[in-house]
Each structure stands twice: as structure tokens, then as C-alpha cells.
Amino acid sequence: VRKKTGSGIVYRVAMHNKEESGPQDGDAAPALSHYALCRYAEWEERISAWQSPVLDDRSLPAWYKSALFNELYFLADGGTVWLEVREDSLPEELGRNVCHLCPTLRDYGRFGYLEGQEYRMYNTYDVHFYASFALIMLWPKLELSLQYDMALATLREDLTQRRYLMSVVMAPVKRRNVIAHDIGDPDDEPWLQVNAYLIHDTADWKDLNLKFVLQVYRDYYLTGDQNFLKDMWPVCLAVMESEMKFDKDHDGLIENGGYADQTYDGWVTTGPSAYCGGLWPAAVAVMVQMAALCGAQDIQDKFSSILHRGQEAYERLLWNGRYYNYDSSSQPQSRSVMSDQCAGQWFLKACGLGEGETEVFPTPHVVRALQTIFELNVQAFAGGVMGAVNGMQPHGVPDKSSVQSDEVWVGVVYGLAATMIQEGLTWEGFQTAEGCYRTVWERLGLAFQTPEAYCQQRVFRSLAYMRPLSIWAMQLALQQQQHKKASRPKVEQGTGLRIGSMFGPKEAMANVSPE
């Protein structure tokens, strides 16, 4: 991991210092090697200093320390490219819409990593939603660069007709003002030819636009970069406007379309659902916050009204007293317990929202849902030692209605564990995540090739996958927990109350980034 991470840094330096030795001269590799050999000792010292606070923390289990740092292998080993971008290579008419796009790409380059070594698409966005915690916490400028690229792709369109495999319907490759599924195939022209994914027409997916909005605000919150927020604001408005057409009955809550129209692309969802239905009010709540920051009172009022109606509809249609139903259809699986049902709350808490005045989902409901997931999806599955199965029927039998509902998705489990930690269920969170680590790294022997999914019967799918980088969301949740404890009022003799430092933008980055 050290050598790979270090070489990634060196590659960028060698490319940037063309006056010394450029790739056009054919001697970039010797220059790269020379640079590394002269600096490796310093890098090792800095890596040790960065890792020591975690490695020396006796309250953290050894398996977690291993997973936290070693899952980073994929950032270098995931078919990764890091490219310089010439300013004259960007379309002027699009570049003008996001003012700091050109400076960001010029200074930090263009970053791409594959969804998986078997799933050959760069920056697959519904999956990057989970993995992005590693980038924003460790290399935040690369995350912002990736976001600028995604914004640029959003404003473009490619009306070339092609046939999609699942529906056998002809539709455009890319429509304007919707988030691209991916930035392209490495065997084609990525960044120029986007949406290599052919299974579904993702312009009709319900989660991509929402995940962009949530990530934009999370990235702003953790970096405090106001220029980034200003640039992304009109793009967020555009994609949310596109998303509103999915609220067919105008009750403030979107509906799924009766097919697998989200990251679970083999698991059919109909009507209001726990997953996409939960991402929607979370994204709307974030739009309210961004509108306030951008001084757009009319837009703030508009989304506040949608949020109020959407919250009511979500609770009325999906909450059953123990958890949120998978969806509101009449199918038997509609009552399934989905392990990922609190994804919206997960991102809200990561952004410092989701409680008190900014509460979207009632806290008792969130905690009860997480407890139910732990009882059924974790403990009642495979003896409680394999993580959380995606779908579990309320009577304790895995949901086998699809090829994905009875799988365990490692990256989803790490995100679930982070959500549990955020809500005070820290022991449950570590127990849940440990099952994945033990299964992948010890029982299956898949170290440094963590799969997307596995089943109870030792069947796994898509080795070396992006999503498990979400383990860094657990680290963020732990840091937020520590900051919250430090911020509580303390009584000191003779001085009354003293307030500790507050946790906010930028402070989340303290003592975590190797930069």
C-alpha cells in the first residue's frame, strides 16, 4: 500500500515537472524512479506519522486498523489514472458555467479509478457515493476534481441512440442535466465518451442525481471550499429539477419505476422505497442548506415545502413500527428489511445535519431501524459472522427475490457500520463490519482483492471493487463522535460553563489526511 500510494504521488510530480523530464522524451520512468529513491525514507516517516494515531489507539480492534489502511489498495490498484489537463482541452461554453473548473483541473489533474477490476468503468458514480469518503478525507482536492468532471459531464448530452440490455429499449447515451453513471470505458475515450454502462438507461435511475447533491454538500462541509459550493449550486439545481419528475403524485416523495432503477441494478423497486425514498428527503434537506448559504431565499422556501411534505409521506408510506419497508408495492418482498435503508441519514450525519433543528428522519425511528437490521440482517444471517445481508424477510429468512437481495455488499456494510456509530450503536457497528473483514480477508483469502459481494455459500462476485473504501466513513463517524464529546459543556470550578471546540467544515480533516 505504501509503495503504491507513494508511486501515485510521484507519478503526478513527474508529469508536472516537464521542464526536468517529460513523458514526451521517453524518460519519465527513470525520472520517476530517481524521485522515489531520493524521497522514500521521508515518505515512510510521514506515512508512519499519519498512521500512528490509529495504530496506537488501543480502543480500536486490530482488524479495523488493518481494514482501514489496507482497503486503500484500490485507490492505486483499481486501474487508476491521474492525468494532466490542458486548459484548451475543455469546452469554453461549458467551462464558463463552473468558474473554478479549469483552475482545479489544471492544478490537481484529472483522477479516475475503475468501479472494479472486472467492472470496467471509470468513476462509477452510484458506487463512488460510498467509496468517496476515502478521497474526501485523504486527498480532498482529487475528490473535488472528480466532482468537477462529473458536473461537466452533467451539462453535456450525447443523443446517440443505443439499445439497453435489460429493457431492450433504444435511448440516448447521455441526456443533459442528469448525472452520468460513469465517466467512460478505459478502452474507449473516458471523459469524452461517458456512460459505458449498458444494462439500464441510467437517465431514469432515481439515485444518481441525489447522490451528487449529497456528495457536493458533504465535500463542501468537510473542506469549507465556498468556490466549489458556488460552482456546484446551479448544477445541483439542474439535477434536482430533473429528479422532480419522479414524484408522480406530487406528495413530496419520489417513486421508483418498477424495475431495478438504482445502484441495486438487479433488485426491482416499485413506488416509494426505503432506499431512494430516503435519499430524496436527505438531498432536499441539503438543498435547503445550500440555498441558505447561496442567499436564494425563494429556492430555500420551495425546497423547505417539498421537504415537509416528503418527510410526512415517507413516514406514512414506509415506516411500520420497526423499520422502513423495502418499498410500497404489493409484492411479498415489499416488507423486506433492507440493510441500506438509512443511507440518507448516513450522509446527513456526515454533513453535521440530521438531528435537532435539521432532523429529517425521526431519531427513534432511525435507531429502531438500525437495531432491527442488526437483529435480522446481521445476527440472524450466517450465525452473525458474515456482516449484513442486503435483504432479510421480517421472519428471519434472507430475501431471495433477486440475485442481489441475498448478497452481502462489503461497501454497504461499512457504510451501515458508520451509520450505527453515528447513532450511538458503536458496538453493533463494529460487530457488523468485523463480519465482512473476517469473511473476506481471512475465510475467503481475498486480501487486496475485496469483492463487491458474497453470499452465505462462499460464492463471491466482482473481485477488487471500489465500494469497500467506504470503511473511511467509519473513521469519520468515530472522529465526529470524539469531537462531539469534546464539545459538550464542561463545568470548571470558579468559571462556570466552558464550551469545547465545535466540529464543522475543515475540522473533520484534522489528523486524518496524509497531506
Side-chain angles (χ1 to χ4, degrees):
V1 172
R2 292 180 181 179
K3 290 167 74 175
K4 289 175 181 175
T5 303
S7 63
I9 295 171
V10 176
Y11 178 70
R12 178 61 188 159
V13 171
M15 290 287 284
H16 203 63
N17 295 335
K18 287 185 179 177
E19 66 277 5
E20 295 181 10
S21 177
Q24 296 91 339
D25 302 326
D27 56 359
L32 180 68
S33 301
H34 180 268
Y35 192 91
L37 288 169
C38 291
R39 290 166 175 79
Y40 79 91
E42 176 193 352
W43 293 344
E44 287 189 344
E45 289 179 4
R46 292 175 66 180
I47 289 171
S48 296
W50 160 52
Q51 293 181 342
S52 290
V54 173
L55 298 180
D56 296 342
D57 188 342
R58 295 188 176 184
S59 69
L60 298 175
W63 70 262
Y64 171 75
K65 299 172 185 179
S66 173
L68 183 70
F69 291 117
N70 287 326
E71 286 291 359
L72 291 174
Y73 82 92
F74 192 78
L75 280 175
D77 205 29
T80 307
V81 293
W82 191 1
L83 310 172
E84 282 194 317
V85 179
R86 295 195 329 228
E87 288 193 49
D88 60 4
S89 69
L90 298 172
E92 291 186 14
E93 70 277 7
L94 294 178
R96 283 194 297 268
N97 294 325
V98 275
C99 298
H100 294 85
L101 180 147
C102 291
T104 299
L105 295 183
R106 180 192 65 223
D107 292 342
Y108 298 100
R110 177 165 271 160
F111 182 81
Y113 63 144
L114 297 179
E115 178 180 338
Q117 291 180 358
E118 299 177 28
Y119 291 8
R120 202 177 63 187
M121 292 160 284
Y122 276 126
N123 299 351
T124 299
Y125 202 73
D126 56 301
V127 183
H128 178 71
F129 177 73
Y130 298 82
S132 60
F133 281 88
L135 274 185
I136 191 59
M137 293 179 69
L138 301 175
W139 296 278
K141 294 297 186 180
L142 292 187
E143 166 66 8
L144 298 190
S145 170
L146 188 154
Q147 291 281 62
Y148 272 107
D149 273 330
M150 192 56 62
L152 193 63
T154 301
L155 301 174
R156 289 171 165 164
E157 64 181 5
D158 180 352
L159 299 180
T160 305
Q161 294 285 308
R162 70 179 177 189
R163 193 175 303 279
Y164 289 92
L165 301 180
M166 192 66 72
S167 65
V168 202
V169 168
M170 298 291 291
V173 171
K174 170 68 175 67
R175 299 175 192 170
R176 194 185 306 277
N177 292 341
V178 294
I179 298 298
H181 171 274
D182 58 82
I183 218 71
D185 185 323
D187 198 35
D188 194 356
E189 292 190 82
W191 289 281
L192 296 178
Q193 302 295 328
V194 303
N195 278 352
Y197 181 81
L198 288 168
I199 297 176
H200 299 286
D201 176 9
T202 58
D204 197 42
W205 272 19
K206 309 307 182 291
D207 60 339
L208 287 169
N209 295 336
L210 306 177
K211 287 174 174 177
F212 179 77
V213 171
L214 288 167
Q215 285 186 76
V216 163
Y217 187 77
R218 192 258 338 253
D219 294 348
Y220 161 72
Y221 177 75
L222 294 182
T223 64
D225 191 326
Q226 296 186 6
N227 289 328
F228 170 75
L229 180 67
K230 290 176 183 177
D231 279 350
M232 294 297 119
W233 171 238
V235 186
C236 289
L237 280 174
V239 300
M240 287 298 281
E241 191 66 34
S242 294
E243 189 79 11
M244 286 181 190
K245 66 177 178 291
F246 300 130
D247 180 8
K248 304 292 186 183
D249 55 5
H250 307 291
D251 64 348
L253 185 65
I254 63 169
E255 293 90 41
N256 286 87
Y259 74 102
D261 53 355
Q262 23 75 30
T263 196
Y264 297 88
D265 57 355
W267 194 357
V268 172
T269 315
T270 304
S273 68
Y275 184 68
C276 292
L279 292 175
W280 166 255
V284 173
V286 159
M287 290 296 291
V288 173
Q289 297 295 320
M290 286 195 284
L293 290 167
C294 294
Q297 185 64 52
D298 55 338
I299 298 175
Q300 183 181 356
D301 294 342
K302 173 185 175 180
F303 280 104
S304 294
S305 173
I306 295 171
L307 177 60
H308 178 74
R309 292 184 289 115
Q311 286 175 287
E312 188 279 329
Y314 188 73
E315 297 295 325
R316 172 171 48 83
L317 295 171
L318 295 165
W319 178 251
N320 64 23
R322 296 177 61 205
Y323 59 92
Y324 294 98
N325 289 335
Y326 175 70
D327 66 21
S328 55
S329 71
S330 58
Q331 299 298 316
Q333 68 267 22
S334 69
R335 295 276 295 177
S336 288
V337 185
M338 187 186 198
S339 64
D340 211 4
Q341 64 185 266
C342 295
Q345 175 71 0
W346 169 36
F347 256 72
L348 287 175
K349 276 294 187 73
C351 299
L353 307 172
E355 59 185 339
E357 293 182 357
T358 60
E359 183 180 87
V360 174
F361 309 97
T363 299
H365 290 188
V366 173
V367 174
R368 184 69 186 99
L370 292 172
Q371 290 171 336
T372 301
I373 293 167
F374 185 71
E375 293 164 9
L376 292 176
N377 300 57
V378 180
Q379 291 186 312
F381 174 73
V385 296
M386 291 186 75
V389 66
N390 280 341
M392 178 69 84
Q393 296 180 41
H395 55 281
V397 176
D399 178 353
K400 295 183 180 295
S401 64
S402 80
V403 296
Q404 294 175 336
S405 53
D406 72 337
E407 290 181 326
V408 176
W409 286 11
V410 181
V412 167
V413 173
Y414 288 151
L416 168 63
T419 313
M420 290 175 170
I421 293 169
Q422 289 169 341
E423 301 300 332
L425 303 174
T426 303
W427 180 82
E428 291 85 346
F430 276 99
Q431 286 289 113
T432 298
E434 183 177 1
C436 277
Y437 177 81
R438 301 290 184 195
T439 299
V440 172
W441 289 73
E442 296 178 357
R443 298 189 193 100
L444 296 178
L446 297 178
F448 299 103
Q449 49 184 337
T450 306
E452 156 75 319
Y454 58 79
C455 297
Q456 186 172 350
Q457 297 78 20
R458 297 175 67 88
V459 175
F460 51 84
R461 176 170 61 81
S462 186
L463 291 179
Y465 199 75
M466 177 195 291
R467 203 180 321 244
L469 287 165
S470 61
I471 193 169
W472 279 87
M474 291 181 65
Q475 184 64 18
L476 178 62
L478 290 169
Q479 289 180 221
Q480 288 178 318
Q481 198 178 60
Q482 293 167 359
H483 277 274
K484 187 176 290 187
K485 289 178 181 178
S487 308
R488 289 175 182 166
K490 299 177 182 178
V491 178
E492 295 185 349
Q493 186 175 1
T495 62
L497 291 176
R498 179 173 65 83
I499 307 297
S501 60
M502 295 301 292
F503 179 81
K506 289 189 177 179
E507 294 175 47
M509 311 299 296
N511 300 321
V512 68
S513 175
E515 295 185 331

